[in-house]
């Protein structure tokens, strides 16, 4: 293919060159051809056989489906002022500080607290009130045995809200108090899978001094029955930190809409969890886990990738619309996973997935594949990555809620473009079962 294709002068509506389509989609030209090979986009050879052209309306529709926001001279895009996350030049920053550096040097609780307040408090720990945790556990324990972790987290949020009479106080101090107790409640309400020697009263995280243990350690026992080691806990803690926020992802937008209506912080988190459960968002890591586990079991990623491509399935864990190269979150986690001996097999399988897929489409690794390496290496269930994502992102939703509470209420009110029949229309005829008498 060529990067510099001549404008298309064929009759009919104007068509886009590969470079123009790539710019509109926010991807590399090579990725445009990957969309074509996956059947997501159609192409036509340009006049003279030099390169391909693309239908502009079809490209715009794909851009809308993938979440790419087109520049709008009329200012019609939803744009929010935010001082939380900046994504720029294949890197991302929390309040101007490189998020990957924060993850390497500070714990999840420390970064969350700093993101909320601007104060870095070394060694800060979040604590779940006994009454709140007990209510959340009773609610979670009442769910069917087949319930997923996100089902349990949503139930725990609802229970925590019900026992908090101050939940409607939207002052920053009250919101932060709720957040500091809600996050450890979410973790503590999940069933313990591993060694509970560092817990008291049936699972309340407790350190050697009788205080709370770091959130990553408490969460580890909810994800796997394998004992925790320092290197694995460092990866989990870094993953929690890296996933706190990522600009206006779909779940964060839902959380801001709820906050705009002055919903209390528990309802804001519930809104985020509802969107996060989608297969294209928080649940994406589960697809990567299953693929990677199959590659490890079969001893090679090549046939697994081939099966995905042959059946028209996207290879999970690859590509991200906001990064042209490797997702910085994945890069950081892969580096930390190098220090985990039991992750060697899963790491090798992940690298083989990338190299095998590169023959078909040069897509870089994203954070879902890194979470899959962690979950496969740790003997976790496929939904572990989604659980990590949900617990972590709760802090980000709270940060966005604090911003949104300070804005004009109900400002997020898009207008619908009505496409139905024009009024006046007659009243509809009553529905009658086939064969019924008149």
């Amino acid at each position: 293919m060529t990067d510099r294709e001549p404008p298309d002068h064929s009759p009919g509506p104007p068509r886009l060159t590969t470079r123009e389509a790539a710019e509109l989609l926010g991807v590399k030209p090579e990725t445009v051809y990957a969309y074509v090979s996956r059947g997501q986009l159609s192409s036509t050879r340009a006049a003279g056989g030099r390169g391909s052209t693309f239908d502009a309306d079809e490209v715009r529709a794909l851009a809308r489906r993938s979440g790419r926001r087109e520049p709008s001279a009329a200012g019609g895009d939803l744009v929010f002022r935010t001082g939380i996350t900046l994504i720029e030049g294949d890197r991302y920053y929390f309040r101007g500080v490189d998020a990957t550096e924060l993850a390497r040097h500070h714990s999840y609780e420390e970064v969350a607290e700093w993101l909320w307040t601007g104060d870095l408090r070394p060694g800060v720990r979040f604590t779940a009130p006994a009454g709140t945790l007990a209510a959340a556990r009773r609610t979670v324990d009442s769910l069917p045995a087949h319930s997923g972790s996100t089902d349990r987290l949503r139930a725990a949020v609802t229970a925590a809200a019900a026992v908090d009479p101050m939940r409607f106080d939207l002052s920053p101090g009250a919101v932060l108090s709720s957040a500091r107790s809600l996050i450890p409640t979410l973790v503590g309400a999940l069933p313990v899978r591993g060694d509970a020697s560092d817990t008291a009263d049936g699972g309340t995280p407790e350190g050697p001094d009788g205080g709370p243990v770091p959130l990553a350690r408490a969460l580890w026992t909810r994800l796997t029955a394998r004992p925790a080691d320092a290197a694995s806990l460092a990866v989990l803690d870094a993953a929690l930190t890296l996933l706190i926020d990522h600009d206006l992802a779909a779940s964060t937008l839902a959380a801001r809409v709820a906050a705009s209506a002055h919903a209390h912080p528990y309802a804001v988190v519930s809104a985020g969890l509802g969107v996060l459960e989608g297969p294209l968002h928080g649940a994406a890591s589960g697809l990567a886990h299953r693929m990677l586990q199959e590659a490890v079991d079969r001893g090679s990623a090549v046939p697994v990738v081939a099966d995905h491509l042959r059946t028209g399935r996207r290879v999970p864990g690859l590509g991200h619309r906001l990064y042209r190269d490797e997702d910085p979150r994945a890069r950081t986690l892969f580096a930390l996973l190098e220090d985990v001996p039991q992750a060697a097999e899963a790491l090798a399988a992940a690298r083989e997935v990338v190299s095998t897929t590169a023959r078909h489409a040069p897509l870089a690794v994203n954070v879902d594949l890194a979470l899959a390496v962690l979950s496969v290496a740790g003997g976790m269930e496929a939904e572990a990555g989604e659980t990590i994502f949900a617990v972590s992102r709760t802090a980000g939703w709270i940060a966005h809620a604090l911003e949104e509470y300070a804005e004009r209420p109900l400002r997020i009110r898009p207008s619908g473009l009505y496409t139905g029949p024009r009024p006046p229309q007659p009243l509809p005829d009553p529905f009658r079962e086939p064969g019924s008498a008149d």
Side-chain angles (χ1 to χ4, degrees):
M1 77 187 74
T2 175
D3 287 339
R4 296 186 176 276
E5 297 158 352
D8 182 61
H9 299 294
S10 58
R15 296 179 64 82
L16 303 177
T17 66
T18 302
R19 178 164 292 280
E20 289 169 339
E23 290 175 352
L24 191 58
L25 291 165
V27 298
K28 294 180 179 180
E30 294 87 349
T31 306
V32 175
Y33 285 92
Y35 288 144
V36 174
S37 67
R38 293 198 293 261
Q40 295 175 271
L41 202 61
S42 59
S43 66
T44 302
R45 297 298 296 175
R50 296 179 59 193
S52 301
T53 64
F54 303 84
D55 180 86
D57 290 338
E58 187 180 11
V59 173
R60 291 191 186 96
L62 177 59
R64 287 192 296 271
R65 291 197 302 273
S66 64
R68 177 71 177 175
R69 288 185 286 185
E70 299 178 44
S72 174
D77 288 334
L78 280 175
V79 178
F80 299 90
R81 292 185 300 272
T82 178
I84 300 172
T85 301
L86 170 67
I87 300 175
E88 186 175 75
D90 278 346
R91 299 172 71 181
Y92 78 119
Y93 307 85
F94 291 159
R95 300 204 184 283
V97 179
D98 190 313
T100 63
E101 289 299 306
L102 285 166
R104 288 179 180 276
H105 294 94
H106 296 286
S107 72
Y108 169 75
E109 295 101 313
E110 290 170 349
V111 175
E113 185 73 28
W114 170 77
L115 203 62
W116 294 335
T117 68
D119 294 328
L120 185 63
R121 298 170 54 195
V124 65
R125 298 283 182 264
F126 298 154
T127 305
T132 302
L133 185 55
R137 282 183 178 154
R138 286 195 301 271
T139 303
V140 169
D141 290 346
S142 69
L143 297 176
H146 64 264
S147 300
S149 64
T150 306
D151 296 323
R152 295 187 173 100
L153 292 173
R154 284 202 306 265
V157 172
T158 301
V163 298
D164 183 1
M166 302 302 293
R167 65 186 180 276
F168 297 106
D169 183 351
L170 303 186
S171 65
V175 171
L176 289 174
S177 178
S178 297
R180 293 179 185 119
S181 66
L182 174 60
I183 294 174
T185 296
L186 295 179
V187 174
L190 295 174
V192 175
R193 296 176 181 271
D195 178 18
S197 61
D198 62 356
T199 63
D201 190 25
T204 303
E206 188 174 89
D209 59 354
V213 300
L215 196 82
R217 183 170 183 81
L219 180 58
W220 180 271
T221 62
R222 272 75 182 172
L223 298 175
T224 178
R226 294 185 183 178
D229 59 90
S232 296
L233 287 176
V235 179
L236 178 57
D237 193 40
L240 287 166
T241 303
L242 292 165
L243 292 168
I244 285 178
D245 191 55
H246 208 233
D247 195 28
L248 287 174
S251 59
T252 304
L253 177 58
R256 286 199 79 127
V257 171
S260 179
H262 280 193
H264 56 69
Y266 301 93
V268 167
V269 171
S270 292
L273 285 172
V275 177
L276 187 73
E277 196 173 15
L280 302 181
H281 196 4
S285 61
L287 302 176
H289 173 103
R290 293 182 179 91
M291 175 195 67
L292 197 61
Q293 185 65 66
E294 183 182 358
V296 169
D297 293 342
R298 297 176 68 172
S300 173
V302 174
V304 178
V305 171
D307 286 346
H308 276 73
L309 297 177
R310 182 169 59 248
T311 56
R313 291 176 291 163
R314 182 180 65 85
V315 179
L318 300 178
H320 196 290
R321 71 181 186 87
L322 296 181
Y323 300 112
R324 293 184 180 276
D325 294 314
E326 193 173 49
D327 184 333
R329 301 169 296 178
R331 183 169 57 248
T332 301
L333 292 178
F334 272 111
L336 292 171
L337 284 161
E338 292 282 359
D339 296 329
V340 181
Q342 56 268 37
E345 192 175 21
L347 268 174
R351 292 193 176 102
E352 192 175 22
V353 167
V354 176
S355 62
T356 302
T357 310
R359 308 172 195 171
H360 176 73
L363 297 175
V365 64
N366 65 35
V367 72
D368 294 320
L369 192 60
L371 287 175
V373 174
L374 171 61
S375 58
V376 170
M380 303 173 188
E381 299 291 333
E383 64 180 8
E386 183 179 351
T387 305
I388 297 167
F389 204 127
V391 170
S392 168
R393 192 56 61 90
T394 297
W397 296 329
I398 294 296
H400 280 273
L402 288 166
E403 283 194 337
E404 195 59 42
Y405 289 148
E407 297 283 353
R408 174 175 55 82
L410 294 175
R411 69 191 181 105
I412 307 174
R413 179 61 170 86
S415 297
L417 179 63
Y418 179 72
T419 59
R422 295 297 305 170
Q425 296 288 322
L427 287 171
D429 292 331
F431 174 76
R432 297 183 185 280
E433 292 287 349
S436 60
D438 290 336

